[in-house]
Amino acid sequence: EAGVAQSPRYKIIEKRQSVAFWCNPISGHATLYWYQQILGQGPKLLIQFQNNGVVDDSQLPKDRFSAERLKGVDSTLKIQPAKLEDSAVYLCASSLDRWGGKETQYFGPGTRLLVL
Amino acid sequence: AQKITQTQPGMFVQEKEAVTLDCTYDTSDQSYGLFWYKQPSSGEMIFLIYQGSYDEQNATEGRYSLNFQKARKSANLVISASQLGDSAMYFCAIQGADKLIFGTGTRLQVFP
């Protein structure tokens, strides 16, 4: 079974530029997540999709970040315009479904973003 | 609100020895799950083991076991027979009714 795919793996941009990341979840997984991981910290949830609907985007900086999951499969996360503090690893994860307190999430390899 | 605390920023262990990585948590949810993930230098988060709050037995997965002490709110990861490939960051995480919350991680280095 193929894992979560992400591209690109690395990206370097200048501040105020825009950037987009792509994620393809594990086949059949209804829930998709985007996380931001700043150096030295654990991942922090940015947005969660259930199929193609947003479940939680409370920690997404909506003035510059946007995300979509068309057709309930692939997803794109965009930053426009980027700031220096956006330098981080952006991780995509997916899970089969959610019930009770158990929801094992499987992560992709991440995209390392450096904003200069 | 939920919180994970990992007090060991770094740990060293010799190959073939066992090591315990500490994790304490705080939550107001009655039903929750505890997870451990491994993050090698390549960046991917690899799921290791899960423990449900109502599970009576400690979870085990191969060389990984979770020492779950509910009254103390701790969920320590035990790695038996360490291997050089175990060198990585290890994150403890909790999920109740809300999102998955991660700790700050522990860097484990296994030496020959």
Side-chain angles (χ1 to χ4, degrees), chain A residues 27-61:
Chain A
S27 177
H29 279 197
T31 311
L32 185 147
Y33 314 80
W34 283 102
Y35 288 85
Q36 181 192 59
Q37 186 179 18
I38 293 172
L39 189 65
Q41 299 181 17
K44 182 187 81 172
L45 180 70
L46 291 175
I47 189 167
Q48 175 183 340
F49 292 94
Q50 181 82 16
N51 296 308
N52 59 356
V54 175
V55 173
D56 184 349
D57 64 356
S58 58
Q59 299 186 105
L60 185 74

PDB file of all heavy atoms in Angstrom, chain A residues 27-61:
ATOM      1  N   SER A  27      -4.778   5.824  -0.150  1.00  0.00           N
ATOM      2  CA  SER A  27      -6.028   5.530  -0.839  1.00  0.00           C
ATOM      3  C   SER A  27      -7.107   5.082   0.148  1.00  0.00           C
ATOM      4  O   SER A  27      -6.873   4.214   1.002  1.00  0.00           O
ATOM      5  CB  SER A  27      -5.793   4.421  -1.866  1.00  0.00           C
ATOM      6  OG  SER A  27      -7.002   4.074  -2.500  1.00  0.00           O
ATOM      7  N   GLY A  28      -8.267   5.732   0.057  1.00  0.00           N
ATOM      8  CA  GLY A  28      -9.377   5.358   0.926  1.00  0.00           C
ATOM      9  C   GLY A  28      -9.454   6.124   2.226  1.00  0.00           C
ATOM     10  O   GLY A  28     -10.436   6.003   2.962  1.00  0.00           O
ATOM     11  N   HIS A  29      -8.438   6.909   2.524  1.00  0.00           N
ATOM     12  CA  HIS A  29      -8.445   7.683   3.768  1.00  0.00           C
ATOM     13  C   HIS A  29      -9.315   8.926   3.604  1.00  0.00           C
ATOM     14  O   HIS A  29      -9.075   9.764   2.749  1.00  0.00           O
ATOM     15  CB  HIS A  29      -7.023   8.084   4.166  1.00  0.00           C
ATOM     16  CG  HIS A  29      -6.286   6.982   4.853  1.00  0.00           C
ATOM     17  ND1 HIS A  29      -5.134   7.198   5.591  1.00  0.00           N
ATOM     18  CD2 HIS A  29      -6.523   5.661   4.923  1.00  0.00           C
ATOM     19  CE1 HIS A  29      -4.717   6.058   6.084  1.00  0.00           C
ATOM     20  NE2 HIS A  29      -5.533   5.099   5.690  1.00  0.00           N
ATOM     21  N   ALA A  30     -10.315   9.033   4.491  1.00  0.00           N
ATOM     22  CA  ALA A  30     -11.276  10.128   4.380  1.00  0.00           C
ATOM     23  C   ALA A  30     -10.749  11.426   4.973  1.00  0.00           C
ATOM     24  O   ALA A  30     -11.147  12.502   4.558  1.00  0.00           O
ATOM     25  CB  ALA A  30     -12.586   9.741   5.069  1.00  0.00           C
ATOM     26  N   THR A  31      -9.874  11.308   5.964  1.00  0.00           N
ATOM     27  CA  THR A  31      -9.444  12.504   6.691  1.00  0.00           C
ATOM     28  C   THR A  31      -8.018  12.870   6.295  1.00  0.00           C
ATOM     29  O   THR A  31      -7.142  12.004   6.229  1.00  0.00           O
ATOM     30  CB  THR A  31      -9.527  12.268   8.202  1.00  0.00           C
ATOM     31  OG1 THR A  31     -10.812  11.720   8.513  1.00  0.00           O
ATOM     32  CG2 THR A  31      -9.369  13.577   8.953  1.00  0.00           C
ATOM     33  N   LEU A  32      -7.805  14.155   6.043  1.00  0.00           N
ATOM     34  CA  LEU A  32      -6.496  14.660   5.638  1.00  0.00           C
ATOM     35  C   LEU A  32      -6.141  15.852   6.512  1.00  0.00           C
ATOM     36  O   LEU A  32      -6.997  16.688   6.829  1.00  0.00           O
ATOM     37  CB  LEU A  32      -6.524  15.064   4.161  1.00  0.00           C
ATOM     38  CG  LEU A  32      -5.207  15.510   3.512  1.00  0.00           C
ATOM     39  CD1 LEU A  32      -5.164  15.108   2.043  1.00  0.00           C
ATOM     40  CD2 LEU A  32      -4.981  17.004   3.661  1.00  0.00           C
ATOM     41  N   TYR A  33      -4.874  15.922   6.890  1.00  0.00           N
ATOM     42  CA  TYR A  33      -4.389  16.963   7.797  1.00  0.00           C
ATOM     43  C   TYR A  33      -3.149  17.637   7.207  1.00  0.00           C
ATOM     44  O   TYR A  33      -2.330  16.981   6.566  1.00  0.00           O
ATOM     45  CB  TYR A  33      -3.956  16.361   9.146  1.00  0.00           C
ATOM     46  CG  TYR A  33      -4.922  15.372   9.755  1.00  0.00           C
ATOM     47  CD1 TYR A  33      -4.963  14.060   9.312  1.00  0.00           C
ATOM     48  CD2 TYR A  33      -5.745  15.739  10.811  1.00  0.00           C
ATOM     49  CE1 TYR A  33      -5.824  13.142   9.878  1.00  0.00           C
ATOM     50  CE2 TYR A  33      -6.611  14.823  11.389  1.00  0.00           C
ATOM     51  CZ  TYR A  33      -6.644  13.531  10.915  1.00  0.00           C
ATOM     52  OH  TYR A  33      -7.501  12.618  11.494  1.00  0.00           O
ATOM     53  N   TRP A  34      -3.023  18.924   7.483  1.00  0.00           N
ATOM     54  CA  TRP A  34      -1.788  19.651   7.222  1.00  0.00           C
ATOM     55  C   TRP A  34      -1.236  20.145   8.559  1.00  0.00           C
ATOM     56  O   TRP A  34      -1.961  20.754   9.352  1.00  0.00           O
ATOM     57  CB  TRP A  34      -2.014  20.855   6.315  1.00  0.00           C
ATOM     58  CG  TRP A  34      -2.181  20.522   4.867  1.00  0.00           C
ATOM     59  CD1 TRP A  34      -3.337  20.455   4.155  1.00  0.00           C
ATOM     60  CD2 TRP A  34      -1.126  20.242   3.938  1.00  0.00           C
ATOM     61  NE1 TRP A  34      -3.085  20.140   2.844  1.00  0.00           N
ATOM     62  CE2 TRP A  34      -1.733  20.009   2.676  1.00  0.00           C
ATOM     63  CE3 TRP A  34       0.265  20.169   4.031  1.00  0.00           C
ATOM     64  CZ2 TRP A  34      -1.002  19.711   1.533  1.00  0.00           C
ATOM     65  CZ3 TRP A  34       0.992  19.869   2.899  1.00  0.00           C
ATOM     66  CH2 TRP A  34       0.354  19.645   1.658  1.00  0.00           C
ATOM     67  N   TYR A  35       0.057  19.884   8.777  1.00  0.00           N
ATOM     68  CA  TYR A  35       0.747  20.323   9.981  1.00  0.00           C
ATOM     69  C   TYR A  35       1.917  21.216   9.604  1.00  0.00           C
ATOM     70  O   TYR A  35       2.527  21.046   8.558  1.00  0.00           O
ATOM     71  CB  TYR A  35       1.313  19.131  10.758  1.00  0.00           C
ATOM     72  CG  TYR A  35       0.295  18.276  11.471  1.00  0.00           C
ATOM     73  CD1 TYR A  35      -0.376  17.257  10.805  1.00  0.00           C
ATOM     74  CD2 TYR A  35       0.008  18.481  12.819  1.00  0.00           C
ATOM     75  CE1 TYR A  35      -1.309  16.471  11.462  1.00  0.00           C
ATOM     76  CE2 TYR A  35      -0.919  17.694  13.490  1.00  0.00           C
ATOM     77  CZ  TYR A  35      -1.569  16.693  12.792  1.00  0.00           C
ATOM     78  OH  TYR A  35      -2.490  15.916  13.453  1.00  0.00           O
ATOM     79  N   GLN A  36       2.241  22.119  10.520  1.00  0.00           N
ATOM     80  CA  GLN A  36       3.456  22.919  10.426  1.00  0.00           C
ATOM     81  C   GLN A  36       4.383  22.508  11.564  1.00  0.00           C
ATOM     82  O   GLN A  36       3.956  22.473  12.723  1.00  0.00           O
ATOM     83  CB  GLN A  36       3.131  24.406  10.544  1.00  0.00           C
ATOM     84  CG  GLN A  36       4.351  25.325  10.441  1.00  0.00           C
ATOM     85  CD  GLN A  36       4.024  26.752  10.852  1.00  0.00           C
ATOM     86  OE1 GLN A  36       3.594  27.013  11.968  1.00  0.00           O
ATOM     87  NE2 GLN A  36       4.210  27.689   9.924  1.00  0.00           N
ATOM     88  N   GLN A  37       5.623  22.189  11.228  1.00  0.00           N
ATOM     89  CA  GLN A  37       6.599  21.824  12.257  1.00  0.00           C
ATOM     90  C   GLN A  37       7.788  22.771  12.186  1.00  0.00           C
ATOM     91  O   GLN A  37       8.617  22.671  11.277  1.00  0.00           O
ATOM     92  CB  GLN A  37       7.065  20.379  12.107  1.00  0.00           C
ATOM     93  CG  GLN A  37       7.970  19.932  13.251  1.00  0.00           C
ATOM     94  CD  GLN A  37       8.410  18.491  13.131  1.00  0.00           C
ATOM     95  OE1 GLN A  37       8.346  17.886  12.058  1.00  0.00           O
ATOM     96  NE2 GLN A  37       8.846  17.907  14.245  1.00  0.00           N
ATOM     97  N   ILE A  38       7.864  23.665  13.143  1.00  0.00           N
ATOM     98  CA  ILE A  38       8.988  24.595  13.250  1.00  0.00           C
ATOM     99  C   ILE A  38      10.133  23.872  13.941  1.00  0.00           C
ATOM    100  O   ILE A  38       9.908  23.015  14.812  1.00  0.00           O
ATOM    101  CB  ILE A  38       8.559  25.861  14.009  1.00  0.00           C
ATOM    102  CG1 ILE A  38       7.544  26.629  13.168  1.00  0.00           C
ATOM    103  CG2 ILE A  38       9.739  26.733  14.369  1.00  0.00           C
ATOM    104  CD1 ILE A  38       6.901  27.791  13.858  1.00  0.00           C
ATOM    105  N   LEU A  39      11.344  24.217  13.567  1.00  0.00           N
ATOM    106  CA  LEU A  39      12.544  23.553  14.085  1.00  0.00           C
ATOM    107  C   LEU A  39      12.542  23.519  15.611  1.00  0.00           C
ATOM    108  O   LEU A  39      12.350  24.542  16.267  1.00  0.00           O
ATOM    109  CB  LEU A  39      13.784  24.283  13.574  1.00  0.00           C
ATOM    110  CG  LEU A  39      15.121  23.603  13.840  1.00  0.00           C
ATOM    111  CD1 LEU A  39      15.207  22.281  13.096  1.00  0.00           C
ATOM    112  CD2 LEU A  39      16.273  24.521  13.451  1.00  0.00           C
ATOM    113  N   GLY A  40      12.726  22.305  16.159  1.00  0.00           N
ATOM    114  CA  GLY A  40      12.791  22.156  17.610  1.00  0.00           C
ATOM    115  C   GLY A  40      11.448  21.972  18.279  1.00  0.00           C
ATOM    116  O   GLY A  40      11.376  21.884  19.512  1.00  0.00           O
ATOM    117  N   GLN A  41      10.379  21.903  17.493  1.00  0.00           N
ATOM    118  CA  GLN A  41       9.040  21.748  18.060  1.00  0.00           C
ATOM    119  C   GLN A  41       8.339  20.532  17.464  1.00  0.00           C
ATOM    120  O   GLN A  41       8.783  19.983  16.459  1.00  0.00           O
ATOM    121  CB  GLN A  41       8.200  23.004  17.775  1.00  0.00           C
ATOM    122  CG  GLN A  41       8.771  24.282  18.369  1.00  0.00           C
ATOM    123  CD  GLN A  41       7.898  25.487  18.073  1.00  0.00           C
ATOM    124  OE1 GLN A  41       6.731  25.367  17.710  1.00  0.00           O
ATOM    125  NE2 GLN A  41       8.469  26.675  18.263  1.00  0.00           N
ATOM    126  N   GLY A  42       7.239  20.141  18.099  1.00  0.00           N
ATOM    127  CA  GLY A  42       6.399  19.106  17.520  1.00  0.00           C
ATOM    128  C   GLY A  42       5.489  19.703  16.471  1.00  0.00           C
ATOM    129  O   GLY A  42       5.308  20.923  16.403  1.00  0.00           O
ATOM    130  N   PRO A  43       4.918  18.865  15.632  1.00  0.00           N
ATOM    131  CA  PRO A  43       3.997  19.365  14.611  1.00  0.00           C
ATOM    132  C   PRO A  43       2.776  20.033  15.229  1.00  0.00           C
ATOM    133  O   PRO A  43       2.283  19.606  16.273  1.00  0.00           O
ATOM    134  CB  PRO A  43       3.597  18.107  13.839  1.00  0.00           C
ATOM    135  CG  PRO A  43       4.670  17.114  14.124  1.00  0.00           C
ATOM    136  CD  PRO A  43       5.128  17.403  15.513  1.00  0.00           C
ATOM    137  N   LYS A  44       2.278  21.064  14.534  1.00  0.00           N
ATOM    138  CA  LYS A  44       1.084  21.773  14.961  1.00  0.00           C
ATOM    139  C   LYS A  44       0.070  21.733  13.832  1.00  0.00           C
ATOM    140  O   LYS A  44       0.394  22.059  12.690  1.00  0.00           O
ATOM    141  CB  LYS A  44       1.418  23.225  15.312  1.00  0.00           C
ATOM    142  CG  LYS A  44       0.236  24.043  15.818  1.00  0.00           C
ATOM    143  CD  LYS A  44       0.602  25.500  15.985  1.00  0.00           C
ATOM    144  CE  LYS A  44       0.556  26.235  14.665  1.00  0.00           C
ATOM    145  NZ  LYS A  44       0.715  27.704  14.803  1.00  0.00           N
ATOM    146  N   LEU A  45      -1.159  21.326  14.158  1.00  0.00           N
ATOM    147  CA  LEU A  45      -2.197  21.210  13.132  1.00  0.00           C
ATOM    148  C   LEU A  45      -2.559  22.570  12.557  1.00  0.00           C
ATOM    149  O   LEU A  45      -2.841  23.519  13.296  1.00  0.00           O
ATOM    150  CB  LEU A  45      -3.450  20.560  13.717  1.00  0.00           C
ATOM    151  CG  LEU A  45      -4.610  20.379  12.743  1.00  0.00           C
ATOM    152  CD1 LEU A  45      -4.272  19.294  11.713  1.00  0.00           C
ATOM    153  CD2 LEU A  45      -5.895  20.026  13.477  1.00  0.00           C
ATOM    154  N   LEU A  46      -2.572  22.646  11.224  1.00  0.00           N
ATOM    155  CA  LEU A  46      -3.046  23.846  10.542  1.00  0.00           C
ATOM    156  C   LEU A  46      -4.497  23.690  10.113  1.00  0.00           C
ATOM    157  O   LEU A  46      -5.320  24.580  10.321  1.00  0.00           O
ATOM    158  CB  LEU A  46      -2.184  24.137   9.311  1.00  0.00           C
ATOM    159  CG  LEU A  46      -0.746  24.577   9.558  1.00  0.00           C
ATOM    160  CD1 LEU A  46       0.001  24.701   8.239  1.00  0.00           C
ATOM    161  CD2 LEU A  46      -0.719  25.896  10.317  1.00  0.00           C
ATOM    162  N   ILE A  47      -4.807  22.548   9.484  1.00  0.00           N
ATOM    163  CA  ILE A  47      -6.148  22.350   8.960  1.00  0.00           C
ATOM    164  C   ILE A  47      -6.430  20.858   8.829  1.00  0.00           C
ATOM    165  O   ILE A  47      -5.524  20.076   8.572  1.00  0.00           O
ATOM    166  CB  ILE A  47      -6.334  23.068   7.596  1.00  0.00           C
ATOM    167  CG1 ILE A  47      -7.804  23.040   7.142  1.00  0.00           C
ATOM    168  CG2 ILE A  47      -5.415  22.483   6.531  1.00  0.00           C
ATOM    169  CD1 ILE A  47      -8.087  23.996   5.983  1.00  0.00           C
ATOM    170  N   GLN A  48      -7.708  20.506   9.047  1.00  0.00           N
ATOM    171  CA  GLN A  48      -8.154  19.123   8.929  1.00  0.00           C
ATOM    172  C   GLN A  48      -9.357  19.070   8.001  1.00  0.00           C
ATOM    173  O   GLN A  48     -10.307  19.854   8.161  1.00  0.00           O
ATOM    174  CB  GLN A  48      -8.539  18.569  10.305  1.00  0.00           C
ATOM    175  CG  GLN A  48      -9.124  17.172  10.274  1.00  0.00           C
ATOM    176  CD  GLN A  48      -9.569  16.682  11.628  1.00  0.00           C
ATOM    177  OE1 GLN A  48      -9.142  17.196  12.651  1.00  0.00           O
ATOM    178  NE2 GLN A  48     -10.448  15.684  11.643  1.00  0.00           N
ATOM    179  N   PHE A  49      -9.307  18.153   7.032  1.00  0.00           N
ATOM    180  CA  PHE A  49     -10.412  17.916   6.116  1.00  0.00           C
ATOM    181  C   PHE A  49     -11.035  16.545   6.399  1.00  0.00           C
ATOM    182  O   PHE A  49     -10.331  15.576   6.660  1.00  0.00           O
ATOM    183  CB  PHE A  49      -9.930  17.894   4.657  1.00  0.00           C
ATOM    184  CG  PHE A  49      -9.440  19.200   4.122  1.00  0.00           C
ATOM    185  CD1 PHE A  49      -8.090  19.528   4.160  1.00  0.00           C
ATOM    186  CD2 PHE A  49     -10.319  20.106   3.552  1.00  0.00           C
ATOM    187  CE1 PHE A  49      -7.632  20.722   3.645  1.00  0.00           C
ATOM    188  CE2 PHE A  49      -9.867  21.305   3.023  1.00  0.00           C
ATOM    189  CZ  PHE A  49      -8.513  21.613   3.074  1.00  0.00           C
ATOM    190  N   GLN A  50     -12.346  16.483   6.324  1.00  0.00           N
ATOM    191  CA  GLN A  50     -13.058  15.203   6.308  1.00  0.00           C
ATOM    192  C   GLN A  50     -13.698  15.140   4.934  1.00  0.00           C
ATOM    193  O   GLN A  50     -14.609  15.926   4.628  1.00  0.00           O
ATOM    194  CB  GLN A  50     -14.113  15.143   7.406  1.00  0.00           C
ATOM    195  CG  GLN A  50     -14.880  13.840   7.473  1.00  0.00           C
ATOM    196  CD  GLN A  50     -14.139  12.758   8.212  1.00  0.00           C
ATOM    197  OE1 GLN A  50     -13.190  13.041   8.928  1.00  0.00           O
ATOM    198  NE2 GLN A  50     -14.559  11.524   8.079  1.00  0.00           N
ATOM    199  N   ASN A  51     -13.215  14.202   4.102  1.00  0.00           N
ATOM    200  CA  ASN A  51     -13.558  14.198   2.678  1.00  0.00           C
ATOM    201  C   ASN A  51     -13.173  15.562   2.107  1.00  0.00           C
ATOM    202  O   ASN A  51     -12.020  15.938   2.211  1.00  0.00           O
ATOM    203  CB  ASN A  51     -15.013  13.821   2.476  1.00  0.00           C
ATOM    204  CG  ASN A  51     -15.273  12.392   2.939  1.00  0.00           C
ATOM    205  OD1 ASN A  51     -14.571  11.475   2.523  1.00  0.00           O
ATOM    206  ND2 ASN A  51     -16.248  12.208   3.817  1.00  0.00           N
ATOM    207  N   ASN A  52     -14.072  16.340   1.539  1.00  0.00           N
ATOM    208  CA  ASN A  52     -13.656  17.629   1.000  1.00  0.00           C
ATOM    209  C   ASN A  52     -14.141  18.802   1.833  1.00  0.00           C
ATOM    210  O   ASN A  52     -14.075  19.960   1.404  1.00  0.00           O
ATOM    211  CB  ASN A  52     -14.065  17.788  -0.459  1.00  0.00           C
ATOM    212  CG  ASN A  52     -15.565  17.658  -0.630  1.00  0.00           C
ATOM    213  OD1 ASN A  52     -16.272  17.377   0.320  1.00  0.00           O
ATOM    214  ND2 ASN A  52     -16.041  17.873  -1.835  1.00  0.00           N
ATOM    215  N   GLY A  53     -14.607  18.531   3.045  1.00  0.00           N
ATOM    216  CA  GLY A  53     -15.072  19.585   3.939  1.00  0.00           C
ATOM    217  C   GLY A  53     -14.072  19.874   5.046  1.00  0.00           C
ATOM    218  O   GLY A  53     -13.390  18.971   5.527  1.00  0.00           O
ATOM    219  N   VAL A  54     -13.983  21.134   5.447  1.00  0.00           N
ATOM    220  CA  VAL A  54     -13.065  21.541   6.511  1.00  0.00           C
ATOM    221  C   VAL A  54     -13.678  21.230   7.876  1.00  0.00           C
ATOM    222  O   VAL A  54     -14.804  21.636   8.161  1.00  0.00           O
ATOM    223  CB  VAL A  54     -12.752  23.048   6.418  1.00  0.00           C
ATOM    224  CG1 VAL A  54     -11.883  23.484   7.600  1.00  0.00           C
ATOM    225  CG2 VAL A  54     -12.041  23.364   5.106  1.00  0.00           C
ATOM    226  N   VAL A  55     -12.926  20.491   8.715  1.00  0.00           N
ATOM    227  CA  VAL A  55     -13.379  20.156  10.069  1.00  0.00           C
ATOM    228  C   VAL A  55     -12.813  21.137  11.086  1.00  0.00           C
ATOM    229  O   VAL A  55     -13.504  21.574  11.999  1.00  0.00           O
ATOM    230  CB  VAL A  55     -12.959  18.717  10.427  1.00  0.00           C
ATOM    231  CG1 VAL A  55     -13.275  18.411  11.884  1.00  0.00           C
ATOM    232  CG2 VAL A  55     -13.634  17.715   9.504  1.00  0.00           C
ATOM    233  N   ASP A  56     -11.524  21.479  10.912  1.00  0.00           N
ATOM    234  CA  ASP A  56     -10.853  22.360  11.870  1.00  0.00           C
ATOM    235  C   ASP A  56      -9.808  23.171  11.141  1.00  0.00           C
ATOM    236  O   ASP A  56      -8.890  22.600  10.559  1.00  0.00           O
ATOM    237  CB  ASP A  56     -10.216  21.516  12.984  1.00  0.00           C
ATOM    238  CG  ASP A  56      -9.581  22.358  14.091  1.00  0.00           C
ATOM    239  OD1 ASP A  56      -9.439  23.584  13.937  1.00  0.00           O
ATOM    240  OD2 ASP A  56      -9.223  21.771  15.137  1.00  0.00           O
ATOM    241  N   ASP A  57      -9.955  24.463  11.137  1.00  0.00           N
ATOM    242  CA  ASP A  57      -8.920  25.362  10.585  1.00  0.00           C
ATOM    243  C   ASP A  57      -8.635  26.478  11.565  1.00  0.00           C
ATOM    244  O   ASP A  57      -8.242  27.587  11.178  1.00  0.00           O
ATOM    245  CB  ASP A  57      -9.309  25.896   9.210  1.00  0.00           C
ATOM    246  CG  ASP A  57     -10.555  26.777   9.242  1.00  0.00           C
ATOM    247  OD1 ASP A  57     -11.155  26.895  10.332  1.00  0.00           O
ATOM    248  OD2 ASP A  57     -10.936  27.320   8.200  1.00  0.00           O
ATOM    249  N   SER A  58      -8.845  26.212  12.843  1.00  0.00           N
ATOM    250  CA  SER A  58      -8.723  27.246  13.863  1.00  0.00           C
ATOM    251  C   SER A  58      -7.305  27.792  14.012  1.00  0.00           C
ATOM    252  O   SER A  58      -7.112  28.907  14.476  1.00  0.00           O
ATOM    253  CB  SER A  58      -9.207  26.706  15.215  1.00  0.00           C
ATOM    254  OG  SER A  58      -8.465  25.557  15.589  1.00  0.00           O
ATOM    255  N   GLN A  59      -6.292  27.004  13.625  1.00  0.00           N
ATOM    256  CA  GLN A  59      -4.912  27.465  13.763  1.00  0.00           C
ATOM    257  C   GLN A  59      -4.275  27.821  12.421  1.00  0.00           C
ATOM    258  O   GLN A  59      -3.064  27.982  12.333  1.00  0.00           O
ATOM    259  CB  GLN A  59      -4.075  26.405  14.493  1.00  0.00           C
ATOM    260  CG  GLN A  59      -4.587  26.122  15.900  1.00  0.00           C
ATOM    261  CD  GLN A  59      -3.686  25.187  16.686  1.00  0.00           C
ATOM    262  OE1 GLN A  59      -2.960  25.599  17.571  1.00  0.00           O
ATOM    263  NE2 GLN A  59      -3.739  23.907  16.359  1.00  0.00           N
ATOM    264  N   LEU A  60      -5.081  27.969  11.411  1.00  0.00           N
ATOM    265  CA  LEU A  60      -4.575  28.348  10.083  1.00  0.00           C
ATOM    266  C   LEU A  60      -4.577  29.876   9.975  1.00  0.00           C
ATOM    267  O   LEU A  60      -5.622  30.509  10.137  1.00  0.00           O
ATOM    268  CB  LEU A  60      -5.479  27.755   8.998  1.00  0.00           C
ATOM    269  CG  LEU A  60      -5.017  27.948   7.556  1.00  0.00           C
ATOM    270  CD1 LEU A  60      -3.848  27.018   7.254  1.00  0.00           C
ATOM    271  CD2 LEU A  60      -6.168  27.683   6.589  1.00  0.00           C
ATOM    272  N   PRO A  61      -3.414  30.482   9.710  1.00  0.00           N
ATOM    273  CA  PRO A  61      -3.371  31.957   9.539  1.00  0.00           C
ATOM    274  C   PRO A  61      -4.038  32.331   8.218  1.00  0.00           C
ATOM    275  O   PRO A  61      -3.415  32.402   7.170  1.00  0.00           O
ATOM    276  CB  PRO A  61      -1.865  32.262   9.526  1.00  0.00           C
ATOM    277  CG  PRO A  61      -1.184  31.024  10.013  1.00  0.00           C
ATOM    278  CD  PRO A  61      -2.076  29.878   9.634  1.00  0.00           C
TER     279      PRO A  61
END
